[in-house]
């Protein structure tokens, strides 16, 4: 199927739009979660959505999307609260609080899910699709709900932009400036819950954690500004969503959720490796360059010292000697020095053996380096 | 008699559940103490990939090699996470949250592609089928024993042996990794070994409780035990007891309400945690509140004693050491000022003459005692 | 609670302040005044409650008893006139933001809800940066700064508020000698302009050179007043106990047995 044909398919349109909305909202809000070192809170919130979905179903009596998502929002927020209470009022640390809250909410979800299945309610079919998401079942009406939530979350971020920024960077200072820090932090947490709710239909409760973290981490590598980071993260989120949805649509019955997550993961890896400045490849390269430069300088000053010892500026050092001196091959360093016009290779003549000789530039350079070190006789 | 018990399905299910809980909380104790609980979540998810790959390669899942092979993905998760952290571009929590969803996603996609060849569906991945462990049995010495029971038993023994043999080394590596390193105990290696056992436990428990409920068995019983005791050895005991209790109560409640047995067992660990959280004599919320209230009260009387002592010889004594000062200077409201004053009068710390408050000899002694450690 | 102006002529008036964390008191009945226009130091051994005192004054920690006024009013009312420089290590310097942006954050309290910082705020922030000699770093990402530069940025963030009273929590900790010199010059300049500057300090050697007002704290007030009256052998010995040796009236810190083990033990208690 061609891309155009794909995009004109009604179901696929829904999936792509839904995935893009998810990428947009989770990319934006994920930035704040990651910067506040609450990356795994998204994981807990998403697992905690499961009991909420079941409760929403039980209350509504049918597979009513609005009540199930409301339930998910409520239980997600409750799970965050449980985690907070556990860590504030006992000696348990954050990691244990997150894990307890996550696993027990999920256990409750599983129990409720099996309870509903036991009641033989005909409408319950596919309730467990929320575990991995069921993108293909996305309806236009679902999109309106997802779009509404996304819009509300984005509006809040824009409205309270500078407050969210300050609270994420320096909450104590924010409090001394009179900002209601606790309210703003709660707001950010509830908004991550909103993003999770948008993602339930697309990627499900299990993989949602990555949608909160991955776009933000990828975006962080490319920029040093929060505004740009949020924008990029949203774009990366959208791109992952659309990629995943399209690959899934192109065939072989691959699930959309995992493909979206994999797309996001690939973008993270690319960013970590190649982003200018922070990219791993660049920093390895500049480390290697620095080391190469240092080695050349060392070789140059060694030649200079040998020349000085022989009181002869045209003294020729054999390469074998330099190699023994360093215990490794210095051929490449010497070649670089030669290219820069600091040394030259001289053959045998009446006066001396063949070997490497310093040029005038080389002598000046060696003196400059040694002076820079502060001692004329340092190696 | 024993034979009928062993052959009874409820007993086999409860025993499997108890073994899952015991094996998990053995290793979980160290994860909780080291502040690495969420690694169990990561491991639980990513071993799915290992299980699928091992199944596709060997078409078996329960042998020791299969368990070890699948457990390698758990180690891979930890390794990749630490690799990301050492690049210093990603914080630890974010690194965990990046790695395991990726491996898990690959696992799920493989399940998709090879759906016909693989024995598990995505549903089992998450929920487990502890109710059906009795279906899959092997003959051991003439008895047919569920495979899950056998592998969980094996893992429990293995974990217990590991911890038993390296008890003091693990203890040192947990509470003071630097010292352990200085003494040449290779805490890093021990930790990897521990995580390998955690992964193996996750694989063995997979059929019974799935990937996520496993997390509850790893974290919750040790956390509850941590709220009850300070002694490492007692933590193992309490953790094990909670695992057994949760398994039995979870089974009966699940049969009663006809819901997921694994889910109910996991939920019961939470009930034990709640009880410990509220009622533990030392670290429970209620005990803490009572203690804090007592301390708060005693701090208030001590505050007044120190206040009076500080101003006893000062020029502003008539302004500071009067009843009105409690409200105007200490900023206490009427009720609190009255309560503290009465308490101080009762305990013979303060004397009152008209509006003037003076310390008794006992009160002066108390104030000196409080200030003594701080150059008083 | 306080309706009438209370000690309005004092830059800072702390009365009978008692603070406890969990239920363990960390400050006992602190009475403490600072007149306007001085550069005041707060010194004391580790765990004396110096940072806690500042945090309580700024409303970040709730006291058990006592009250604080700044020029006769509560902190809440005087917020705009108070600048705060927290410890440098209290934030993550890898946060994606620029030097100029951090300094502008000092104005968020003035801006109020919904309003974004504009050209005027930017110019004010640049002025503040110039005061700490960091104007060339305005566009720099904060993770690329040295410790000393980070400290200057934090100080600029407080300066931009054009406050009357400044609180600095260990501004000299972990900065190079040049930065320390520059910071103390700046603080002297502020003092000469009539501002009140209150600094938590840890280096006893420099106390007499830097400050003109001093408070020695160890859970309670050991001594306070003009520095030459307060900085005496008996006072220091009372506060620091065996931790210092006095050589010719000059205090010398001895190696403190604050090992990592102590730190973790404290951590475990919480």
């Amino acid at each position: 199927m061609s891309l155009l044909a794909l995009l004109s398919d009604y179901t696929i349109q829904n999936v792509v739009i839904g995935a893009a909305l998810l990428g947009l909202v989770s990319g934006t809000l994920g930035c704040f979660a990651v910067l506040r070192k609450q990356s795994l809170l998204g994981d807990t919130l998403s697992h905690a959505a499961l009991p909420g979905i079941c409760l929403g179903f039980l209350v509504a009596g049918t597979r009513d999307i609005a009540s199930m998502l409301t339930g998910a929002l409520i239980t997600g927020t409750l799970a965050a609260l449980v985690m907070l209470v556990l860590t504030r009022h006992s000696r348990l640390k954050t990691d244990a609080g997150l894990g307890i809250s996550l696993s027990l909410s999920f256990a409750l979800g599983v129990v409720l899910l099996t309870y509903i299945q036991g009641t033989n309610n005909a409408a319950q079919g596919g309730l467990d699709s929320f575990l991995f998401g069921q993108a293909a079942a996305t309806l236009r009406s679902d999109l309106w709900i997802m779009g509404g939530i996304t819009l509300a979350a984005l509006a809040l971020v824009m409205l309270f932009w500078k407050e969210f920024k300050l609270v994420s960077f320096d909450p104590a200072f924010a409090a001394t400036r009179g900002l209601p820090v606790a309210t703003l932090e709660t707001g950010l947490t509830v908004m991550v819950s909103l993003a999770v709710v948008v993602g339930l239909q697309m990627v499900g409760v299990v993989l949602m954690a990555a949608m909160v973290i991955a776009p933000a981490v990828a975006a962080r590598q490319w920029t040093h500004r929060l505004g740009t980071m949020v924008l990029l993260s949203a774009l990366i989120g959208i791109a992952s969503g659309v990629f995943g949805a399209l690959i899934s649509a192109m065939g072989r019955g691959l699930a959309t959720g995992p493909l979206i997550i994999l797309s996001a993961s690939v973008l993270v890896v690319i960013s970590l490796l190649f982003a200018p400045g922070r990219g791993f490849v660049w920093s390895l390269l500049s480390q290697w360059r620095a080391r190469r430069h240092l080695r050349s300088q060392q070789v140059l000053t060694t030649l200079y010292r040998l020349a000085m010892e022989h009181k002869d500026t045209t003294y020729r050092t054999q390469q074998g000697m330099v190699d023994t001196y360093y215990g490794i091959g210095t051929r490449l360093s010497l070649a670089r020095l030669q290219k820069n016009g600091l040394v030259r290779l001289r053959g045998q003549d009446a006066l001396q053996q063949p070997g490497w000789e310093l040029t005038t530039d080389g002598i000046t350079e060696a003196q400059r380096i040694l002076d820079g070190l502060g001692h004329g006789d340092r190696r | 008699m024993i034979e009928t018990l062993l052959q009874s399905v409820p007993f086999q299910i409860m025993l499997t559940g108890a073994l899952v809980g015991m094996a998990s909380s053995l290793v979980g104790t160290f994860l909780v103490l080291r502040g690495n609980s969420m690694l169990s979540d990561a491991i639980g998810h990513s071993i799915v990939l290992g299980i699928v790959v091992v199944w596709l390669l060997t078409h078996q899942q329960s042998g020791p090699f299969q368990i070890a092979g699948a457990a390698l993905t758990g180690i891979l998760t930890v390794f990749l996470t630490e690799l990301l952290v050492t690049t210093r571009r990603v914080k630890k929590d974010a690194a965990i949250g990046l790695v395991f969803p990726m491996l898990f996603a690959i696992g799920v996609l493989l399940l998709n592609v090879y759906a016909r060849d693989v024995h598990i569906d995505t549903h089992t991945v998450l929920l487990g089928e502890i109710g059906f462990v009795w279906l899959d049995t092997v003959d051991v010495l003439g008895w047919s024993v569920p495979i899950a029971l056998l592998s969980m038993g094996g893992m429990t023994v293995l974990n217990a042996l590991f911890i038993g043999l390296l008890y003091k080394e693990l203890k040192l590596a947990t509470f003071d990794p630097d010292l352990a390193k200085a003494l040449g105990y290779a805490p890093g290696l021990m930790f990897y070994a521990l995580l390998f056992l955690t992964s193996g436990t996750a694989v063995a428990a997979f059929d019974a409780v799935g990937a996520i409920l496993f997390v509850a068995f790893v974290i919750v019983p040790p956390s509850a035990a941590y709220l009850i005791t300070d002694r490492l050895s007692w933590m193992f005991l309490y953790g094990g007891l909670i695992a057994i209790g949760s398994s039995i109560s979870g089974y009966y409640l699940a049969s009663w309400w006809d819901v997921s047995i694994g889910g109910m067992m996991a939920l019961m660990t939470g009930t034990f945690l709640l009880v410990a959280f509220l009622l533990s004599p030392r670290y429970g919320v209620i005990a803490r509140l009572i203690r804090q209230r007592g301390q708060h009260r005693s701090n208030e009387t001590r505050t007044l004693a120190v206040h009076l002592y500080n101003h006893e010889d000062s020029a502003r004594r008539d302004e500071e050491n009067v009843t009105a000062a409690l409200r105007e200077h200490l900023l206490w409201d009427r009720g609190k000022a009255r309560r503290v004053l009465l308490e101080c009068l009762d305990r013979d710390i303060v004397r009152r003459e008209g509006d003037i408050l003076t310390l008794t000899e006992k009160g002066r002694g108390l104030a000196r005692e409080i200030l003594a450690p701080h150059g008083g | 609670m306080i309706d009438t102006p209370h000690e309005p002529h004092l830059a800072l008036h702390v009365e009978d302040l008692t603070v406890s964390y969990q239920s363990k008191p960390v400050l006992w009945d602190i009475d403490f005044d600072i007149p306007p226009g001085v550069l005041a130091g707060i010194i004391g051994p580790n765990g004396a409650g110096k940072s806690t005192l500042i945090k309580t004054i700024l409303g970040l920690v709730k006291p058990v008893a006592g009250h604080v006024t700044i020029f006769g009013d509560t902190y809440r009312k005087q917020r705009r006139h108070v600048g705060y420089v927290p410890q440098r290590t209290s934030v993550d310097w890898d946060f994606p933001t620029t030097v100029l942006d951090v300094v502008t954050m000092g104005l968020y309290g003035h801006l109020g809800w919904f309003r974004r910082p504009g050209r005027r705020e930017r110019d004010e922030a640049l002025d503040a940066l110039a005061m700490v000699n960091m104007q060339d770093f305005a566009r720099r990402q904060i993770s690329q700064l040295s410790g000393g530069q980070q400290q200057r940025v934090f100080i600029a963030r407080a300066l931009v508020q054009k406050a009357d009273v400044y609180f600095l929590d260990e501004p000299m900790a972990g900065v190079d000698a040049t930065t320390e010199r520059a910071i103390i010059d700046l603080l002297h300049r502020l003092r000469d302009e009539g501002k009140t500057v209150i600094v938590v300090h840890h280096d006893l050697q420099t106390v007499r050179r830097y400050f003109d007002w001093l408070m020695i704290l160890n859970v309670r007030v050991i001594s306070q007043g003009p520095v030459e009256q307060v900085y005496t052998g008996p006072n220091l010995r009372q506060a620091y106990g065996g931790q210092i040796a006095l050589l010719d009236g000059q205090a010398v810190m001895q190696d403190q047995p604050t090992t990592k083990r102590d730190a973790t033990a404290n951590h475990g208690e919480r």
Side-chain angles (χ1 to χ4, degrees):
Chain A
M1 224 189 299
S2 78
L3 195 62
L4 207 66
L6 267 182
L7 285 177
S8 55
D9 181 288
Y10 183 76
T11 316
I12 293 171
Q13 271 176 10
N14 283 351
V15 175
V16 169
I17 294 172
L21 282 174
L22 164 65
L24 175 61
V25 69
S26 61
T28 307
L29 296 173
C31 288
F32 293 98
V34 167
L35 290 174
R36 290 169 65 225
K37 300 184 191 67
Q38 295 207 322
S39 304
L40 289 174
L41 190 62
D43 196 23
T44 296
L45 291 178
S46 59
H47 283 78
L50 186 62
I53 293 169
C54 298
L55 286 174
F57 176 84
L58 283 172
V59 169
T62 66
R63 210 170 178 284
D64 173 44
I65 191 91
S67 67
M68 289 195 297
L69 294 190
T70 313
L73 187 62
I74 292 172
T75 50
T77 312
L78 276 179
L81 203 68
V82 165
M83 183 238 144
L84 212 64
V85 169
L86 277 179
T87 47
R88 286 261 169 92
H89 298 282
S90 83
R91 59 204 301 232
L92 294 172
K93 297 183 205 82
T94 311
D95 64 308
L98 283 170
I100 291 168
S101 195
L102 177 154
S103 58
L104 293 182
S105 317
F106 192 80
L108 181 64
V110 167
V111 166
L112 287 174
L113 199 64
T114 44
Y115 172 77
I116 292 169
Q117 283 163 350
T119 58
N120 283 326
N121 184 331
Q124 56 93 9
L127 206 55
D128 52 354
S129 68
F130 282 106
L131 290 171
F132 290 104
Q134 201 177 35
T138 311
L139 306 172
R140 221 10 91 85
S141 57
D142 298 347
L143 289 183
W144 283 112
I145 293 177
M146 291 166 70
I149 296 173
T150 306
L151 209 64
L154 293 185
L156 282 174
V157 168
M158 291 215 270
L159 222 50
F160 298 106
W161 175 258
K162 73 176 193 302
E163 284 79 14
F164 283 147
K165 178 158 87 176
L166 183 51
V167 160
S168 306
F169 174 59
D170 193 348
F173 184 79
T176 68
R177 296 294 95 220
L179 293 185
V181 173
T183 312
L184 288 166
E185 288 185 330
T186 313
L188 282 172
T189 304
V190 172
M191 279 155 68
V192 173
S193 251
L194 281 177
V196 166
V197 163
V198 172
L200 290 177
Q201 178 81 21
M202 288 320 284
V203 299
V205 301
V206 184
L207 285 167
M208 205 31 225
M211 265 329 263
V212 175
I213 303 171
V217 169
R220 176 68 188 87
Q221 312 307 319
W222 298 90
T223 173
H224 289 314
R225 316 210 47 168
L226 184 63
T228 325
M229 175 177 167
V230 169
L231 219 65
L232 265 179
S233 177
L235 285 177
I236 291 172
I238 294 172
S240 320
V242 172
F243 273 144
L246 286 179
I247 298 171
S248 160
M250 278 192 274
R252 299 190 206 85
L254 291 176
T256 315
L259 282 172
I260 293 178
I261 300 303
L262 274 188
S263 312
S265 304
V266 169
L267 290 175
V268 168
V269 173
I270 292 174
S271 306
L272 281 172
L273 288 179
F274 300 111
R278 273 171 86 100
F280 204 52
V281 168
W282 304 135
S283 67
L284 275 184
L285 205 67
S286 69
Q287 258 174 38
W288 176 73
R289 278 211 191 105
R291 205 173 301 152
R292 193 177 61 172
H293 184 64
L294 188 68
R295 168 63 41 80
S296 300
Q297 285 195 333
Q298 282 174 333
V299 171
L300 185 70
T301 50
T302 305
L303 293 185
Y304 177 76
R305 282 189 327 117
L306 286 170
M308 288 300 105
E309 271 166 30
H310 290 85
K311 299 197 170 41
D312 174 10
T313 48
T314 62
Y315 178 77
R316 291 169 204 169
T317 312
Q318 283 167 310
Q319 185 172 341
M321 201 170 154
V322 192
D323 284 356
T324 337
Y325 192 85
Y326 284 102
I328 47 158
T330 51
R331 169 84 210 145
L332 282 174
S333 298
L334 283 165
R336 262 173 57 77
L337 289 170
Q338 186 180 28
K339 206 178 84 192
N340 295 337
L342 300 175
V343 298
R344 58 175 165 256
L345 191 58
R346 293 284 294 271
Q348 185 162 16
D349 58 29
L351 290 169
Q352 283 188 345
Q353 295 283 313
W356 292 95
E357 177 191 288
L358 289 164
T359 63
T360 349
D361 283 353
I363 291 169
T364 330
E365 176 66 12
Q367 278 167 346
R368 199 186 59 79
I369 294 166
L370 290 172
D371 286 349
L373 289 173
H375 323 235
D377 58 354
R378 273 263 302 267
R379 190 176 164 207
Chain B
M1 166 69 196
I2 292 176
E3 196 169 338
T4 28
L5 187 63
L6 278 178
Q7 295 299 332
S8 103
V9 170
F11 178 79
Q12 287 178 349
I13 292 171
M14 280 186 274
L15 187 58
T16 310
L19 286 173
V20 168
M22 283 193 284
S24 309
S25 60
L26 278 174
V27 284
T29 299
F30 289 106
L31 293 183
V32 169
L33 286 176
R34 288 183 53 124
N36 278 317
S37 311
M38 286 305 272
L39 280 182
S40 66
D41 180 45
I43 287 174
H45 284 89
S46 45
I47 50 127
V48 172
L49 173 61
I51 289 172
V52 175
V53 170
V54 166
W55 174 263
L56 290 175
L57 293 177
T58 67
H59 280 268
Q60 278 188 29
Q61 57 153 351
S62 49
F65 292 109
Q66 280 73 17
I67 289 181
L72 282 178
T73 38
I75 288 298
L76 180 69
T77 313
V78 180
F79 174 75
L80 288 177
T81 303
E82 297 205 335
L83 189 72
L84 275 180
V85 174
T86 49
T87 65
R88 306 223 314 224
R89 271 117 181 122
V90 186
K91 303 251 163 13
K92 176 141 192 187
D93 60 332
I96 294 177
L98 283 173
V99 173
F100 83 78
M102 186 176 78
L103 297 181
F104 185 73
I106 297 173
V108 173
L109 285 177
L110 285 179
L111 274 181
N112 270 193
V113 176
Y114 298 102
R116 250 165 298 158
D117 303 332
V118 183
H119 63 299
I120 38 177
D121 58 16
T122 46
H123 194 267
T124 336
V125 168
L126 295 172
L127 311 182
E129 296 288 2
I130 198 171
F132 299 127
V133 288
W134 51 275
L135 286 177
D136 228 354
T137 58
V138 283
D139 276 348
V140 179
L141 304 173
W143 289 349
S144 78
V145 181
I147 292 175
L149 200 55
L150 216 55
S151 47
M152 274 327 298
M155 278 319 297
T156 311
V157 171
L158 208 59
N159 291 353
L161 270 179
F162 176 74
I163 291 167
L165 289 176
L166 293 172
Y167 186 72
K168 78 171 189 307
E169 288 82 359
L170 280 167
K171 194 170 165 179
L172 185 65
T174 304
F175 293 106
D176 196 342
D178 293 338
L179 182 62
K181 199 168 194 171
L183 295 176
Y185 283 134
L189 193 66
M190 265 194 288
F191 190 48
Y192 262 97
L194 191 75
L195 288 170
F196 189 59
L197 287 176
T198 310
S199 309
T201 312
V203 178
F206 182 77
D207 282 338
V209 296
I212 303 171
L213 294 177
F214 166 73
V215 179
F217 292 100
V218 178
I219 305 177
V220 184
S223 295
Y226 186 50
L227 295 180
I228 301 172
T229 177
D230 278 327
R231 299 269 304 274
L232 183 59
S233 44
W234 287 90
M235 273 185 75
F236 291 116
L237 181 73
Y238 287 127
L241 287 177
I242 290 170
I244 295 169
S246 306
S247 173
I248 297 171
S249 55
Y251 174 79
Y252 284 109
L253 285 175
S255 333
W256 189 347
W257 285 319
D258 190 20
V259 292
S260 154
I261 298 169
M264 205 61 222
M265 286 177 173
L267 212 50
M268 285 314 292
T269 63
T271 313
F272 283 101
L273 177 82
L274 184 67
V275 171
F277 176 70
L278 293 177
L279 300 179
S280 158
R282 193 177 308 174
Y283 296 108
V285 169
I286 293 174
R288 196 186 274 236
L289 278 179
I290 292 172
R291 212 166 39 233
Q292 261 177 12
R293 203 179 143 88
Q295 261 162 352
H296 205 71
R297 286 280 163 88
S298 114
N299 276 339
E300 286 167 356
T301 54
R302 285 154 69 99
T303 303
L304 183 57
V306 170
H307 176 73
L308 295 177
Y309 180 80
N310 277 348
H311 297 288
E312 245 180 359
D313 304 320
S314 81
R316 286 169 46 189
R317 185 188 157 181
D318 295 346
E319 189 189 320
E320 294 280 358
N321 291 7
V322 292
T323 43
L326 300 188
R327 294 179 53 206
E328 283 160 19
H329 292 230
L330 296 175
L331 233 62
W332 285 346
D333 61 44
R334 189 189 292 273
K336 186 170 173 184
R338 201 182 132 76
R339 194 184 68 219
V340 179
L341 187 58
L342 284 178
E343 170 113 24
C344 284
L345 290 170
D346 262 8
R347 288 176 49 194
D348 194 27
I349 290 169
V350 170
R351 244 195 322 271
R352 179 178 178 176
E353 290 148 21
D355 272 346
I356 306 279
L357 301 175
T358 41
L359 281 173
T360 61
E361 217 24 68
K362 185 181 165 200
R364 205 162 291 131
L366 175 69
R368 284 206 194 100
E369 191 186 307
I370 294 165
L371 296 176
H374 311 299
Chain C
M1 272 272 197
I2 307 158
D3 316 317
T4 49
H6 201 71
E7 309 284 3
H9 58 281
L10 286 174
L12 174 68
H13 172 66
V14 175
E15 196 164 307
D16 302 323
L17 196 71
T18 296
V19 179
S20 62
Y21 275 138
Q22 305 289 325
S23 46
K24 195 173 151 241
V26 284
L27 290 173
W28 269 118
D29 201 55
I30 304 286
D31 282 303
F32 171 37
D33 292 329
I34 289 184
V38 299
L39 174 49
I42 299 176
I43 60 168
N46 285 341
K50 291 167 295 192
S51 291
T52 307
L53 177 59
I54 294 229
K55 284 182 184 153
T56 314
I57 292 169
L58 297 175
L60 294 173
V61 175
K62 218 172 110 59
V64 176
H67 68 266
V68 176
T69 58
I70 291 164
F71 285 115
D73 244 324
T74 58
Y75 172 73
R76 281 172 67 93
K77 288 196 187 143
Q78 294 284 23
R79 190 179 279 137
R80 275 164 181 252
H81 306 290
V82 179
Y84 171 46
V85 181
Q87 288 189 12
R88 184 165 54 85
T89 47
S90 62
V91 302
D92 175 13
W93 288 91
D94 200 31
F95 196 87
T97 191
T98 59
V99 166
L100 187 67
D101 216 27
V102 171
V103 177
T104 315
M105 287 177 189
L107 292 167
Y108 284 7
H110 298 238
L111 277 171
W113 297 96
F114 310 126
R115 263 189 59 207
R116 295 288 177 90
R119 174 175 288 279
R120 215 184 89 206
E121 283 73 22
R122 207 195 64 172
D123 291 346
E124 286 176 30
L126 282 171
D127 287 348
L129 274 175
M131 285 177 75
V132 294
N133 216 354
M134 287 283 291
Q135 63 275 40
D136 298 340
F137 292 82
R139 302 270 154 217
R140 199 66 83 78
Q141 206 273 324
I142 57 171
S143 70
Q144 297 162 358
L145 302 177
S146 71
Q149 291 167 338
Q150 291 174 352
Q151 192 65 62
R152 292 190 207 195
V153 170
F154 257 22
I155 291 175
R157 183 175 69 171
L159 289 176
V160 76
Q161 296 171 46
K162 301 203 169 58
D164 299 315
V165 184
Y166 289 97
F167 290 91
L168 294 89
D169 198 347
E170 303 245 9
M172 318 294 186
V175 305
D176 54 290
T178 328
T179 303
E180 178 156 347
R181 194 68 250 160
I183 290 175
I184 201 67
D185 285 347
L186 175 75
L187 298 184
H188 279 136
R189 233 173 26 246
L190 287 173
R191 191 256 330 260
D192 295 343
E193 288 168 16
K195 316 273 190 189
T196 312
V197 183
I198 300 157
V199 180
V200 170
H201 195 59
H202 65 284
D203 179 16
L204 291 178
Q205 248 82 257
T206 48
V207 166
R208 268 198 295 214
R209 255 189 297 140
Y210 287 179
F211 303 111
D212 33 44
W213 196 268
L214 186 66
M215 170 171 36
I216 304 182
L217 183 75
N218 187 1
V219 182
R220 67 194 197 95
V221 178
I222 304 290
S223 183
Q224 57 175 318
V227 72
E228 61 277 7
Q229 288 171 24
V230 173
Y231 192 80
T232 63
N235 279 342
L236 290 172
R237 210 170 293 122
Q238 200 185 352
Y240 287 86
Q243 291 174 28
I244 55 162
L246 294 167
L247 299 171
D248 309 328
Q250 188 60 272
V252 177
M253 292 294 286
Q254 285 181 339
D255 286 341
Q256 289 182 24
T258 42
T259 57
K260 206 180 161 204
R261 194 168 307 277
D262 280 350
T264 39
N266 286 336
H267 198 71
E269 276 171 26
R270 294 191 52 206

